[in-house]
Amino acid sequence: MRLFYQLRYLQRWGFTQLWHIKNTIKQINFFYAKLGKSLISKLLLVLFICIFAIFLFPVPSFAVQNQPINLTWELLQERVKSPILRDGNLTVDLRKMVIDLRTENAIFRDNFYQLLRKELQKTGAKALGLDLSNSVIEGDFYGSDLGLRTPLYAQGIAQIFTPLEQEQLENLRSVCLQSLATAFPNAKDCKFLLNNQSNNSSSIAVFRGALIMVESRFNGEVKFPNTFFLQSVNAQGANFLKPTNWDESRFGRNVSFSGAVFHAPSSFQGSIFFEKANFQDIKFLDSANFQGDVFCNDAKFTQGKFQQLVKFNNSFWQGNSDFSSVIFNNQVNFNKVNFHQSVFLKDTVFKQALIFRESEFNQLVDLQGASILNQADFSDVKFAEIAFLNVPGLVFNSNQAKILGNVGEIGKKLIVPTLQGNQNILRNLSQNFRLQQQVSDANQLEYTKQRLKLIELSNQLVAININTASINRLMNLGFSEIQATEISQSRQIKYFRNVRELLALPDVDLEIYNKLSDRMIATEPMVLSRWVVKSLSWLLLSLLLLLSGYGTNFWLVFGVGGVLISCFGVLFWLVDRYRRLCPVPIVPRYYETVWILFSFICLISGSLLAIFRNSGSPWLTLLCLLMIIFPIPGILLWRLYQQGRYHDLMDISYLTEDGTLRQLRLLIGRLPVIPRNPSFRERYMPLLWDRRWNWLNYYDFSLNNLVRLGFNDIRLRDEHLPGIISTLAWYQWSLGLLYIILAGWTLSRTIPGLNLLIYLK
């Protein structure tokens, strides 16, 4: 019954309100009819309706409450005497105030600073903070005047602050010592801390409590120079319309300027951030200065916008620095910056010059999806061994922008994980370095491209093709029976174009995809002939990468040639000088054996050094050389000593030299065996075994056979020559043809002038 009466009451109240509105409309119509249809009459009617609406619909109380109120002296005293607890800290509540600190209001301004300074500087266990959230500050705000001025040397600190605060102040000394190698110790307080001096200029203003300025508006300048904030600073969404000065400030706790807008020049020069610094979604509409700053923890500038010049010169970053999705409309300077952890520049836009000159990178620099529209300068940058520039998806046009760096170094630090989707990036980067005549860096990018292509070919030959694999093979790969069946049914309708299309199947989840994506591919079924062609392409590309860096490293080719020449030189010496032990021994002399072994060790050591210093996979390169040198010659050598040698002219060398000339010769058309014409036999004379320098002739013959260059024209004789020895010579001669082609191709890609002629024609 009670509910029934309440409903009847609401119905009657509604009818009453409707009756009042109806009568009001009747009165307005009557008044309109009296006034007529003239323009003046209509204006009067509109004015009457507005006045009526104001009285009928008053301003809501919450709208009045949200309006800032003027801060008076009496109200300030009241708020100071009754601080509130916010986020665990006692703070003076000056939220939603209009605080007039202009020179016209000098009396209130002086009293304002005097009263707040007195309360905020009180010593005790609980420090008092200041909350200016949603307030409007007129005139200049001298925030450093609210701090407690104190000397920084250890003897002066102990008597004023709590043990925890003393520890925070002492941390400043350790930070100065850690960053001693940077330009930061030029700051005033660091010099005095390191020298333990005590005078007035070594003092600092200490702000003991929390500072909260959420969505505050500062119409004048903001000045916090040389201030140590022992508690957090929260300025999210704050608006700074005039210049701000935070030079040489120290932030002992977390700092947040997220969403803040700086309309005028801002300076944080020489500041230290002991904890995390959050500058996310910040806007600097004028110049910003972070020179000499020290970030002891992670610093986050994501989604920010820098309209004018930005300076981070000589800064020191101990944690990760995140500049993802930031827009730099003007030049940004990171000169002589030390990055201890990763630098994230993902999807960042650089419309003007990006300068990292003389900086140090110790870990990843992520430029994935970044846009370089002008110039990126990495000159004289020091990269740690594990540091590199990750550039997949980089937006870079070599005709409009350019990347600068140390010749022979910057190209090795540009990394992309896969070839797919990054071919255009590698091509533009390679073209950039060729235009600057940095051939080694362009070649390094070409090597990276071909290495990724080899990985792609390997996957096509070895990885499981989901378009052709049977259900059992898919299950062995890691799919469940239901998933394998669904894949089989789906590919009967349409082949998969890439493995990501598996995620469209209802039973294939992201977890199984991430687990198996690197072990499967999605291509059209390959016939046997196509598989053979791809296998040969893989083999040829592997050889080119292992033996010459795909024609990009001549010193690697030089090392490979040294191994071939030294090994075949010793092989021919062994075949020629060590023939039998009985009935009459034909073996080399002791001193000749010592010299040939010593020279072999020297040559092979130099060659191996060149390989290990220049090959991306030195052990695989050595394995490849072993497969070329030892199997065929080893079998022939074993067969030679197995069957023995029983022929005429056993006491004469198999090798002959042209006795008519002794000079350095380039023997392009030379063959390893002399002709049968008797006149040639008169010119070519057997090697002299009794000479101490005879062992040099075998290296000369190996050099002639491989690169067609030698001091003497040394060949095999044509009479009483075992076929196995002739086969060994012809085998090296055939390898020499391939080696000359490889060396010539490599030289054409590494000589700057010839390289430009080929690629920029």
Side-chain angles (χ1 to χ4, degrees):
M1 292 296 294
R2 184 178 180 183
L3 178 62
F4 173 76
Y5 284 118
Q6 287 179 347
L7 292 173
R8 289 293 301 272
Y9 174 77
L10 289 173
Q11 185 180 13
R12 289 177 182 176
W13 180 84
F15 282 137
T16 303
Q17 296 300 321
L18 290 173
W19 182 80
H20 282 300
I21 294 173
K22 183 178 179 182
N23 287 339
T24 303
I25 293 174
K26 286 183 179 180
Q27 292 176 4
I28 292 173
N29 289 335
F30 176 77
F31 183 71
Y32 180 75
K34 291 291 186 181
L35 291 176
K37 298 182 179 180
S38 64
L39 180 61
I40 298 176
S41 301
K42 292 180 179 179
L43 292 175
L44 291 173
L45 177 62
V46 172
L47 181 62
F48 172 76
I49 293 173
C50 292
I51 296 173
F52 176 77
I54 291 173
F55 286 104
L56 186 64
F57 306 104
V59 179
S61 59
F62 69 87
V64 176
Q65 293 175 0
N66 284 335
Q67 293 296 325
I69 60 176
N70 291 324
L71 180 64
T72 61
W73 173 247
E74 292 76 13
L75 184 58
L76 176 62
Q77 289 178 315
E78 178 185 343
R79 294 296 176 91
V80 168
K81 291 178 181 179
S82 55
I84 64 172
L85 189 64
R86 187 174 182 187
D87 298 332
N89 298 314
L90 282 175
T91 59
V92 177
D93 183 14
L94 297 182
R95 294 176 295 175
K96 301 175 184 177
M97 300 282 185
V98 177
I99 305 174
D100 191 356
L101 302 178
R102 293 175 293 184
T103 54
E104 295 84 355
N105 200 14
I107 298 177
F108 173 79
R109 180 193 62 190
D110 296 340
N111 292 333
F112 172 84
Y113 284 115
Q114 184 178 359
L115 180 59
L116 281 182
R117 186 186 303 114
K118 177 182 176 182
E119 295 298 324
L120 296 180
Q121 293 180 2
K122 283 184 178 180
T123 58
K126 269 294 186 183
L128 196 62
L130 179 62
D131 191 350
L132 298 172
S133 300
N134 300 105
S135 294
V136 179
I137 292 85
E138 302 286 352
D140 297 340
F141 185 71
Y142 294 87
S144 57
D145 289 350
L146 301 177
L148 177 61
R149 184 65 62 176
T150 178
L152 273 175
Y153 58 94
Q155 293 82 358
I157 294 175
Q159 303 174 358
I160 303 174
F161 300 100
T162 64
L164 182 61
E165 292 173 340
Q166 293 178 32
E167 182 180 353
Q168 286 182 265
L169 290 169
E170 283 295 323
N171 282 342
L172 183 58
R173 181 189 300 274
S174 63
V175 171
C176 287
L177 293 173
Q178 291 175 9
S179 59
L180 191 60
T182 68
F184 171 73
N186 292 327
K188 291 187 304 181
D189 53 354
C190 258
K191 287 191 294 184
F192 289 113
L193 275 172
L194 295 173
N195 296 328
N196 254 352
Q197 295 181 5
S198 60
N199 60 39
N200 293 332
S201 59
S202 65
S203 63
I204 192 171
V206 179
F207 203 99
R208 301 182 63 203
L211 178 61
I212 306 173
M213 301 181 292
V214 177
E215 296 186 7
S216 300
R217 180 185 179 91
F218 294 87
N219 292 331
E221 296 185 12
V222 177
K223 299 182 179 181
F224 279 98
N226 204 25
T227 305
F228 201 134
F229 298 93
L230 298 182
Q231 300 299 323
S232 61
V233 176
N234 188 356
Q236 297 183 23
N239 260 280
F240 301 92
L241 273 69
K242 293 293 180 63
T244 58
N245 183 359
W246 307 80
D247 290 349
E248 297 189 10
S249 292
R250 318 290 176 239
F251 300 90
R253 292 288 184 264
N254 291 341
V255 179
S256 178
F257 283 90
S258 177
V261 182
F262 292 84
H263 296 264
S266 306
S267 179
F268 289 82
Q269 183 173 353
S271 297
I272 301 178
F273 299 84
F274 288 95
E275 298 294 336
K276 293 183 178 180
N278 184 5
F279 290 86
Q280 185 177 8
D281 199 26
I282 199 168
K283 291 180 176 63
F284 286 95
L285 303 182
D286 211 310
S287 61
N289 186 0
F290 290 87
Q291 293 188 91
D293 284 13
V294 176
F295 296 88
C296 301
N297 210 307
D298 295 346
K300 194 173 185 180
F301 287 81
T302 57
Q303 300 177 347
K305 185 175 182 180
F306 294 84
Q307 196 69 28
Q308 299 297 330
L309 176 66
V310 188
K311 295 181 180 179
F312 288 95
N313 302 335
N314 300 306
S315 53
F316 191 79
W317 307 68
Q318 292 183 334
N320 294 327
S321 49
D322 194 350
F323 290 88
S324 300
S325 302
V326 174
I327 299 177
F328 292 98
N329 288 306
N330 211 305
Q331 180 174 314
V332 52
N333 292 337
F334 287 96
N335 292 336
K336 298 182 180 179
V337 176
N338 193 320
F339 295 100
H340 271 245
Q341 300 296 327
S342 300
V343 183
F344 297 99
L345 299 169
K346 187 176 180 180
D347 298 321
T348 305
V349 179
F350 300 97
K351 295 185 178 180
Q352 297 297 327
L354 166 64
I355 302 175
F356 281 103
R357 199 174 295 129
E358 297 184 56
S359 295
E360 294 185 21
F361 296 108
N362 291 284
Q363 290 192 20
L364 163 73
V365 181
D366 191 2
L367 285 163
Q368 182 178 356
S371 300
I372 298 178
L373 306 180
N374 192 275
Q375 174 179 296
D377 190 353
F378 291 90
S379 301
D380 300 318
V381 168
K382 296 180 181 178
F383 289 97
E385 186 176 353
I386 61 173
F388 60 91
L389 302 175
N390 188 41
V391 293
L394 178 68
V395 179
F396 173 76
N397 190 333
S398 58
N399 295 326
Q400 300 173 358
K402 58 182 176 180
I403 295 178
L404 307 177
N406 294 351
V407 178
E409 181 180 351
I410 184 67
K412 296 178 181 179
K413 296 299 180 179
L414 296 169
I415 303 297
V416 293
T418 60
L419 184 61
Q420 186 177 3
N422 293 309
Q423 294 191 34
N424 187 52
I425 298 166
L426 291 171
R427 183 168 55 252
N428 284 337
L429 290 173
S430 179
Q431 182 71 6
N432 166 78
F433 292 122
R434 293 196 191 282
L435 290 173
Q436 300 176 52
Q437 299 187 19
Q438 294 183 220
V439 178
S440 58
D441 295 307
N443 286 340
Q444 181 62 40
L445 289 170
E446 183 66 23
Y447 171 77
T448 301
K449 179 180 178 181
Q450 298 303 324
R451 183 175 54 82
L452 294 174
K453 185 177 180 180
L454 180 65
I455 295 173
E456 194 175 82
L457 278 173
S458 302
N459 289 334
Q460 293 176 6
L461 294 172
V462 178
I464 295 177
N465 188 357
I466 59 176
N467 287 325
T468 59
S470 63
I471 294 179
N472 290 334
R473 195 174 184 188
L474 290 173
M475 293 174 60
N476 293 333
L477 179 64
F479 289 106
S480 65
E481 184 177 358
I482 297 175
Q483 292 170 339
T485 304
E486 188 176 12
I487 292 172
S488 178
Q489 293 174 353
S490 178
R491 73 191 182 194
Q492 291 177 3
I493 302 173
K494 183 183 178 181
Y495 284 131
F496 294 100
R497 292 174 297 179
N498 55 69
V499 292
R500 289 194 63 85
E501 292 184 358
L502 289 176
L503 295 174
L505 303 179
D507 294 321
V508 179
D509 54 10
L510 183 61
E511 182 180 357
I512 192 69
Y513 170 80
N514 292 332
K515 182 179 179 181
L516 304 176
S517 59
D518 57 342
R519 297 161 55 191
M520 58 185 178
I521 59 172
T523 60
E524 295 182 359
M526 284 192 297
V527 296
L528 180 60
S529 59
R530 186 181 175 191
W531 188 89
V532 171
V533 170
K534 283 188 175 292
S535 299
L536 293 175
S537 299
W538 177 88
L539 179 60
L540 178 61
L541 185 56
S542 299
L543 291 174
L544 291 176
L545 287 171
L546 291 175
L547 300 181
S548 68
Y550 199 76
T552 62
N553 198 320
F554 179 75
W555 285 108
L556 176 58
V557 177
F558 181 81
V560 169
V563 171
L564 291 173
I565 292 170
S566 57
C567 288
F568 276 97
V570 173
L571 178 63
F572 286 119
W573 170 83
L574 182 66
V575 168
D576 192 41
R577 296 293 287 118
Y578 191 92
R579 300 191 181 185
R580 68 186 184 191
L581 295 175
C582 60
V584 179
I586 303 177
V587 294
R589 294 183 176 89
Y590 174 76
Y591 68 85
E592 187 176 350
T593 304
V594 171
W595 273 108
I596 197 72
L597 292 178
F598 176 75
S599 61
F600 173 76
I601 292 174
C602 293
L603 286 174
I604 204 71
S605 299
S607 303
L608 292 178
L609 179 62
I611 290 174
F612 275 89
R613 287 181 61 89
N614 295 279
S615 175
S617 304
W619 291 108
L620 288 178
T621 300
L622 287 181
L623 179 61
C624 180
L625 285 174
L626 291 177
M627 295 300 294
I628 293 172
I629 295 173
F630 285 100
I632 294 178
I635 293 173
L636 293 174
L637 194 63
W638 172 79
R639 181 59 181 161
L640 177 66
Y641 283 100
Q642 183 192 39
Q643 69 183 14
R645 279 176 270 188
Y646 306 97
H647 55 76
D648 295 335
L649 302 179
M650 281 292 290
D651 296 333
I652 299 175
S653 175
Y654 295 125
L655 299 178
T656 60
E657 63 175 341
D658 185 358
T660 59
L661 292 174
R662 187 179 294 275
Q663 62 185 20
L664 182 64
R665 303 181 185 185
L666 184 61
L667 307 169
I668 300 297
R670 171 196 172 280
L671 297 178
V673 183
I674 65 172
R676 294 177 58 192
N677 192 302
S679 62
F680 276 90
R681 292 176 186 169
E682 296 176 359
R683 289 173 50 193
Y684 285 88
M685 304 170 63
L687 295 182
L688 300 175
W689 280 357
D690 57 347
R691 299 294 188 267
R692 289 182 175 271
W693 41 261
N694 178 58
W695 57 273
L696 288 172
N697 290 318
Y698 299 99
Y699 289 121
D700 198 2
F701 176 69
S702 181
L703 185 65
N704 281 338
N705 248 7
L706 193 71
V707 296
R708 314 297 188 265
L709 180 68
F711 295 95
N712 295 308
D713 183 7
I714 300 178
R715 308 193 195 189
L716 291 173
R717 71 191 188 192
D718 67 317
E719 292 180 304
H720 305 291
L721 178 69
I724 292 178
I725 298 176
S726 177
T727 303
L728 284 172
W730 280 103
Y731 179 68
Q732 191 197 16
W733 187 88
S734 302
L735 291 178
L737 282 180
L738 300 176
Y739 182 78
I740 290 172
I741 295 172
L742 181 66
W745 179 56
T746 304
L747 282 172
S748 71
R749 294 169 61 84
T750 53
I751 297 175
L754 185 57
N755 188 279
L756 290 174
L757 182 63
I758 293 174
Y759 291 97
L760 301 180
K761 59 182 178 180

